[in-house]
Amino acid sequence: SRPTPNRKPKMTDLHARLAAIVGAANLLTDPHDLAPAVTDMRGRYSGRPLAMALPASRDEVSALVRLCAAEGIAIVPQGGNTSTCGAATPDGSGRQLIIGLRRMQRVRHIDAANQSITVDAGCTLAQVQQAAAGVGRLFPLSLASEGSCQIGGNLSTNAGGVAVLRYGTMRELTLGLEVVLP
């Protein structure tokens, strides 16, 4: 038979190219390793991803996004997977890459005079609160999942928390974003 013009790449080849970006240890493909990432917190949504990549930097995220865009692979960003909206759960197609941000946990800069903090998307809310407290400041978002939820997820869901009436949602607590586009 003749090859089809828009043939999908072999998954083993795609896995190798993904592993070349994040390192083999940071590309999860085993169903046991993927199990915590394929079902939402409430157990309502479940899926089957191609794999889960765990980038450590903006450059790695950018390379993953570029590769996925070129290959027609959908991306499912995932933080702490504590959300109740189901948006961080892959579908059952096996053609979605979960990009887990848990290795991106750097507090980049704290500016106490301007009351601002710059952090990576994978920082937990508790890490951000502790960093702010370390310079005598309050990061006011407070959620029951603050030890495991991540700032990127808080932003993507516009989290409000228990002090939302006083301090507003994440939108009001955010000065800017650094984003990666295909």
Side-chain angles (χ1 to χ4, degrees), residues 92-173:
S93 70
R95 295 286 300 164
Q96 294 181 326
L97 176 70
I98 298 173
I99 297 183
L101 302 175
R102 65 182 177 227
R103 292 181 61 219
M104 296 181 67
Q105 295 188 354
R106 196 172 64 145
V107 174
R108 293 186 190 188
H109 181 71
I110 300 175
D111 185 345
N114 286 307
Q115 308 226 37
S116 66
I117 185 169
T118 304
V119 300
D120 285 349
C123 284
T124 65
L125 176 54
Q127 287 174 299
V128 175
Q129 292 168 333
Q130 291 165 1
V135 294
R137 299 296 184 268
L138 169 70
F139 189 79
L141 182 64
S142 182
L143 304 168
S145 60
E146 59 196 31
S148 56
C149 68
Q150 295 174 2
I151 290 297
N154 298 151
L155 283 162
S156 72
T157 59
N158 195 27
V162 297
V164 69
L165 295 178
R166 181 168 184 172
Y167 297 105
T169 63
M170 274 300 291
R171 180 177 295 131
E172 283 80 33
L173 301 176

Side-chain angles (χ1 to χ4, degrees), residues 14-98:
L14 187 54
H15 284 144
R17 292 188 293 159
L18 291 165
I21 295 169
V22 296
N26 298 308
L27 183 69
L28 308 180
T29 57
D30 183 271
H32 177 74
D33 295 336
L34 290 169
V38 299
T39 304
D40 77 308
M41 184 178 96
R42 295 182 298 176
R44 286 183 146 179
Y45 308 103
S46 188
R48 184 177 58 90
L50 166 72
M52 181 174 188
L54 304 171
S57 69
R58 171 194 59 217
D59 293 339
E60 288 182 6
V61 172
S62 181
L64 289 169
V65 169
R66 194 170 28 260
L67 176 60
C68 288
E71 297 297 337
I73 303 295
I75 294 172
V76 179
Q78 192 174 92
N81 204 21
T82 60
S83 175
T84 58
C85 70
T89 307
D91 67 16
S93 70
R95 295 286 300 164
Q96 294 181 326
L97 176 70
I98 298 173

